Amino acid sequence: MNNLYQKFHEDFYLKTGGYIPSIIQNQNLYPGDFFQIKDGQMVVLGNVFRDGIVDKNDCEIESNILLNAANWNFNEGVSKPYSGRTNGENALEGNFEYSKQILAFKSAGSYWFTANNPKSTKLFNWNAFKDALIIKMTQTYYSFRELYVVNECATAEGWSLVVSGNSDAELELATEAENFGLQDLFCHDTTKTISSRNIEYYQREDKRIPQFFKAKKLTVKNEKVEAFIRDLISKQKNKEDWANDFFNQDYYQDPNFVSQKHCVNIASNVLDMLPPNTLNPNTALSYFKWEDANLEDINKLFIRYGSNGNFKNDIQ
């Protein structure tokens, strides 16, 4: 995904209490949907209820949970160089008065977001079936090693988002509505766009579409990762001595070359290093756990790989 949207995604997560927007990727996500993040894209693979992985009778689903609307209205790097009432002229109706507002954006990626009356639908008793879901998703139904499961989705009566593409971006809005507060001009359903300049994204939605979500991610337990790192460090000790003897060469290697930081970066390979048949339905809960999706996972949406497999980082 274009890194222009990264600031908006990070702020959305922090300001709304952990929700992640999927509107830029145009994904509708429902509780029970499971997906992976590949090359900066969310790839939805199924739904645990629709696919018969979890029985609906085993799950308590709570709907229409009211959310704090104040947390769903925020902006970054946007000013209003003009807000006021002005006069216009129409050939049929003559002179008329309307409200006008100009939004100016400080830099690329500056944004304004607002939403009305947000509500959520939540898997209320996640803890009751999370362990069984680990076994099903890693052993009996699938063999996932990386996975996200949506446990809550949110909608709004209407929302608006504008994101700038450059530092001199500008959006001019107007409405003929009377007795209307200029503070809310951006999201009002009578507002029209008069002009725009260097706007990367501008969308208004008046229907309740599930494009905001929270998710649980499948992760390897910390103690298994730490054990893997200790074992890897131990195996790397005296490697240069072995190489010199085996290849009959005089190689030099810094004894501190294999650092713990280096090992952490490759700790995701812990499951690949397990002896055959070690991971099975009886042991899966010893290796896996669920964690809340967080900013680290949002950042994955802005990491891409080229066609040749080379790493590309869109994060600035």
Side-chain angles (χ1 to χ4, degrees):
M1 194 179 349
N2 192 321
N3 68 312
L4 286 173
Y5 304 118
Q6 184 174 5
K7 179 61 176 172
F8 165 67
H9 280 72
E10 292 175 346
D11 287 355
F12 196 101
Y13 174 87
L14 295 172
K15 293 180 181 294
T16 62
Y19 288 93
I20 300 172
S22 62
I23 54 181
I24 303 299
Q25 297 207 13
N26 197 28
Q27 289 272 19
N28 297 345
L29 293 169
Y30 304 88
D33 280 354
F34 55 94
F35 65 91
Q36 293 180 324
I37 298 177
K38 299 293 185 182
D39 198 21
Q41 296 290 325
M42 289 188 299
V43 182
V44 179
L45 302 171
N47 184 284
V48 298
F49 301 111
R50 188 178 185 185
D51 298 347
I53 300 170
V54 176
D55 192 319
K56 182 181 179 180
N57 296 325
D58 295 332
C59 183
E60 298 177 17
I61 301 176
E62 187 172 348
S63 301
N64 295 316
I65 303 171
L66 293 177
L67 303 176
N68 188 346
N71 296 338
W72 288 65
N73 291 271
F74 50 90
N75 62 84
E76 174 67 30
V78 183
S79 62
K80 301 174 186 175
Y82 179 84
S83 291
R85 298 284 290 178
T86 188
N87 294 316
E89 185 174 347
N90 186 293
L92 297 177
E93 301 177 2
N95 292 330
F96 65 95
E97 192 176 61
Y98 64 97
S99 299
K100 176 181 174 181
Q101 188 172 84
I102 295 176
L103 301 180
F105 297 82
K106 181 179 179 180
S107 60
S110 294
Y111 66 86
W112 188 303
F113 174 80
T114 184
N116 300 319
N117 192 22
K119 297 181 180 180
S120 76
T121 301
K122 181 178 181 180
L123 304 183
F124 191 72
N125 64 332
W126 168 264
N127 289 336
F129 60 88
K130 65 177 183 178
D131 288 348
L133 191 58
I134 285 177
I135 296 173
K136 291 177 179 179
M137 302 307 275
T138 66
Q139 300 298 312
T140 56
Y141 282 81
Y142 302 102
S143 56
F144 287 118
R145 299 297 180 259
E146 297 180 6
L147 190 69
Y148 298 84
V149 177
V150 176
N151 65 312
E152 187 172 353
C153 74
T155 63
E157 268 184 9
W159 58 261
S160 300
L161 171 65
V162 58
V163 181
S164 66
N166 212 319
S167 58
D168 61 348
E170 189 175 272
L171 186 66
E172 183 178 353
L173 306 169
T175 180
E176 294 183 46
E178 296 182 1
N179 301 320
F180 182 70
L182 289 171
Q183 181 67 26
D184 301 319
L185 187 61
F186 175 61
C187 62
H188 197 267
D189 56 10
T190 65
T191 297
K192 293 180 171 37
T193 301
I194 303 302
S195 65
S196 65
R197 182 178 70 219
N198 291 329
I199 296 298
E200 173 71 18
Y201 182 92
Y202 181 29
Q203 180 69 27
R204 297 173 61 190
E205 179 58 62
D206 60 2
K207 300 179 180 62
R208 285 195 174 275
I209 300 177
Q211 292 186 321
F212 315 99
F213 69 95
K214 291 184 179 181
K216 299 290 185 177
K217 64 177 176 179
L218 187 69
T219 61
V220 180
K221 288 187 173 182
N222 292 336
E223 54 267 31
K224 296 298 182 181
V225 174
E226 292 169 359
F228 171 77
I229 292 173
R230 288 194 301 269
D231 183 60
L232 186 60
I233 291 175
S234 177
K235 288 180 178 179
Q236 296 300 318
K237 289 181 178 179
N238 302 320
K239 182 179 179 181
E240 61 275 14
D241 294 335
W242 168 84
N244 287 334
D245 292 339
F246 188 86
F247 297 107
N248 192 26
Q249 293 289 324
D250 187 19
Y251 296 118
Y252 172 79
Q253 183 176 2
D254 188 335
N256 297 319
F257 178 76
V258 181
S259 65
Q260 185 164 335
K261 180 180 179 180
H262 174 71
C263 293
V264 170
N265 292 334
I266 61 173
S268 59
N269 294 326
V270 58
L271 299 177
D272 296 332
M273 298 291 289
L274 291 177
N277 302 319
T278 300
L279 187 59
N280 56 62
N282 295 322
T283 63
L285 296 183
S286 298
Y287 286 90
F288 292 106
K289 65 177 180 178
W290 296 105
E291 291 183 350
D292 292 333
N294 53 37
L295 289 174
E296 176 183 302
D297 305 291
I298 290 176
N299 287 337
K300 292 180 181 178
L301 296 172
F302 301 94
I303 295 176
R304 301 180 295 111
Y305 293 86
S307 57
N308 59 358
N310 291 334
F311 172 76
K312 293 183 179 180
N313 193 339
D314 283 335
I315 301 174
Q316 291 184 344

